[in-house]
């Protein structure tokens, strides 16, 4: 198998060898479902970073790393007689076929709105089947370890599916302004209540996610792009001081702002 061409089967054999109790890798042997979650999240973010930078050579490698995480979980499941790679594949095949009746059955869904409504209806039925309780919350299975912006967007989408949503984006923008005003009131108070201020800022962030959702913009990706833009501009300022052999920590705010605007004008 060691000299066989690359394949899913070979990757599964490598994983099984790494977990072998006698001849495997000590690190891989001691891992469990919980211990490799941080690595899975890291690999997913590295995939996103490669896509954002259009580095497709790197993306190829990162997708391999992410696939290995799936193989790792499948091996752990097989060892505990919970599931294996084949059953994981069977589950996703069944789900995708069921959720796309307009492709694999005779159902006619032509618009994006109809396709989305059918998708959400299928997911709602799946959530209902997971519990014996008819009152299971539609928010119950939203992962708690999602990035906060993504989690907020998913919560809002679930609620919108049953009609609990703003009717237009202008109302959402008004809500953002309202939250800003409430933050201003907290800041102007004679005695600042940090807990209340944090709550109001949280409400603003949640409203901003709602604004992004109504604008059909992914909030997590948008903030990541804003982070990258800010970092690029700030690094341009740092480079100015490095080249002039000056200490950036001694610069005035006015001078930093001037260089910031200069970097902005250059499209940095």
């Amino acid at each position: 198998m060691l000299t066989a061409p690359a394949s899913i089967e070979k990757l599964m054999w490598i994983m099984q060898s790494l977990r072998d109790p006698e001849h495997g890798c000590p690190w891989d042997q001691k891992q469990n479902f919980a211990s490799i979650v941080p690595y899975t999240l890291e690999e997913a973010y590295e995939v996103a970073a490669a896509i954002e930078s259009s580095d497709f050579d790197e993306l190829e490698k990162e997708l391999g790393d992410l696939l290995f995480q799936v193989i790792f979980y499948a091996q752990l499941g097989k060892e505990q007689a919970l599931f294996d790679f084949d059953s994981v594949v069977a589950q996703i095949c069944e789900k995708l076929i069921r959720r796309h009746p307009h492709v694999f059955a005779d159902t006619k869904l032509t618009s994006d709105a109809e396709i989305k409504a059918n998708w959400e209806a299928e997911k709602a039925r799946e959530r209902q089947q997971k519990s014996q309780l008819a009152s299971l919350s539609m928010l119950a299975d939203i992962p708690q370890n999602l990035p906060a912006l993504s989690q907020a967007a998913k919560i809002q989408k679930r609620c919108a599916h049953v009609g609990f949503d703003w009717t237009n984006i202008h109302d959402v923008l008004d809500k953002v302004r309202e939250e800003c005003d409430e933050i201003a009131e907290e800041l102007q108070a004679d005695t600042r209540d940090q807990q209340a201020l944090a709550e109001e800022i949280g409400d603003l962030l949640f409203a901003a996610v709602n604004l992004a959702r109504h604008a059909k913009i992914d909030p997590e990706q948008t903030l990541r792009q804003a982070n990258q833009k800010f970092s690029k501009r700030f690094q341009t300022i740092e480079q100015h001081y490095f080249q002039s052999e000056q200490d950036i920590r001694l610069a005035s705010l006015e001078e930093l702002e001037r260089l910031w605007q200069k970097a902005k004008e250059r499209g940095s």
Side-chain angles (χ1 to χ4, degrees), residues 93-107:
C93 287
E94 186 278 331
K95 180 188 293 185
L96 290 174
I97 291 172
R98 175 165 40 80
R99 287 187 178 181
H100 294 84
H102 53 296
V103 177
F104 302 106
D106 297 329
T107 304

Side-chain angles (χ1 to χ4, degrees), residues 133-183:
L133 300 175
S135 60
L136 175 67
S137 170
M138 67 175 60
L139 307 181
D141 63 338
I142 295 178
Q144 293 301 305
N145 58 351
L146 273 179
L149 292 177
S150 297
Q151 187 182 59
K154 189 170 284 289
I155 290 170
Q156 292 166 5
K157 286 179 183 177
R158 291 278 179 89
C159 294
H161 185 58
V162 296
F164 190 62
D165 195 12
W166 300 100
T167 56
N168 65 75
I169 193 170
H170 300 290
D171 291 338
V172 185
L173 183 58
D174 288 340
K175 182 63 176 178
V176 171
R177 295 191 180 106
E178 176 187 323
E179 298 298 349
C180 287
D181 290 340
E182 292 180 0
I183 290 172

Side-chain angles (χ1 to χ4, degrees), residues 130 201 203 224 266:
K130 287 180 180 179
I201 291 175
D203 290 344
R224 286 169 61 85
R266 289 202 301 262

Side-chain angles (χ1 to χ4, degrees), residues 49-163:
I51 293 172
E52 289 168 1
S53 61
S54 297
D55 189 343
F56 296 108
D57 289 336
E58 190 65 21
L59 177 59
E60 181 182 36
K61 300 173 186 175
E62 297 301 345
L63 286 171
D65 291 341
L66 187 57
L67 174 59
F68 182 70
Q69 296 295 305
V70 177
I71 296 295
F72 208 142
Y73 288 117
Q75 177 63 28
L76 293 173
K78 182 178 181 180
E79 292 171 1
Q80 299 178 40
L82 299 172
F83 54 83
D84 59 18
F85 184 77
D86 288 342
S87 66
V88 170
V89 172
Q91 286 282 348
I92 188 60
C93 287
E94 186 278 331
K95 180 188 293 185
L96 290 174
I97 291 172
R98 175 165 40 80
R99 287 187 178 181
H100 294 84
H102 53 296
V103 177
F104 302 106
D106 297 329
T107 304
K108 300 298 182 183
L109 300 174
T110 56
S111 69
D112 288 346
E114 289 176 335
I115 292 171
K116 182 178 180 181
N118 176 75
W119 182 273
E120 293 297 337
E122 281 294 334
K123 291 200 294 184
R125 280 193 286 270
E126 290 168 10
R127 288 193 296 271
Q128 187 67 29
Q129 292 171 359
K130 287 180 180 179
S131 175
Q132 299 299 320
L133 300 175
S135 60
L136 175 67
S137 170
M138 67 175 60
L139 307 181
D141 63 338
I142 295 178
Q144 293 301 305
N145 58 351
L146 273 179
L149 292 177
S150 297
Q151 187 182 59
K154 189 170 284 289
I155 290 170
Q156 292 166 5
K157 286 179 183 177
R158 291 278 179 89
C159 294
H161 185 58
V162 296

Side-chain angles (χ1 to χ4, degrees), residues 199-211:
E199 184 174 338
E200 296 298 347
I201 291 175
D203 290 344
L204 174 61
L205 292 172
F206 193 83
V209 170
N210 230 336
L211 183 63

Side-chain angles (χ1 to χ4, degrees), residues 3-62:
T3 59
S7 65
I8 285 292
E9 289 73 20
K10 183 173 183 177
L11 184 56
M12 292 169 61
W13 171 79
I14 292 172
M15 182 70 258
Q16 186 175 349
S17 299
L18 292 173
R19 289 280 297 177
D20 186 90
E22 295 184 14
H23 307 292
C25 169
W27 186 89
D28 291 280
Q29 289 171 341
K30 66 181 180 181
Q31 301 310 310
N32 55 48
F33 286 112
S35 69
I36 62 174
V37 166
Y39 301 100
T40 308
L41 295 174
E42 180 180 340
E43 297 300 350
Y45 278 118
E46 289 179 355
V47 166
I51 293 172
E52 289 168 1
S53 61
S54 297
D55 189 343
F56 296 108
D57 289 336
E58 190 65 21
L59 177 59
E60 181 182 36
K61 300 173 186 175
E62 297 301 345

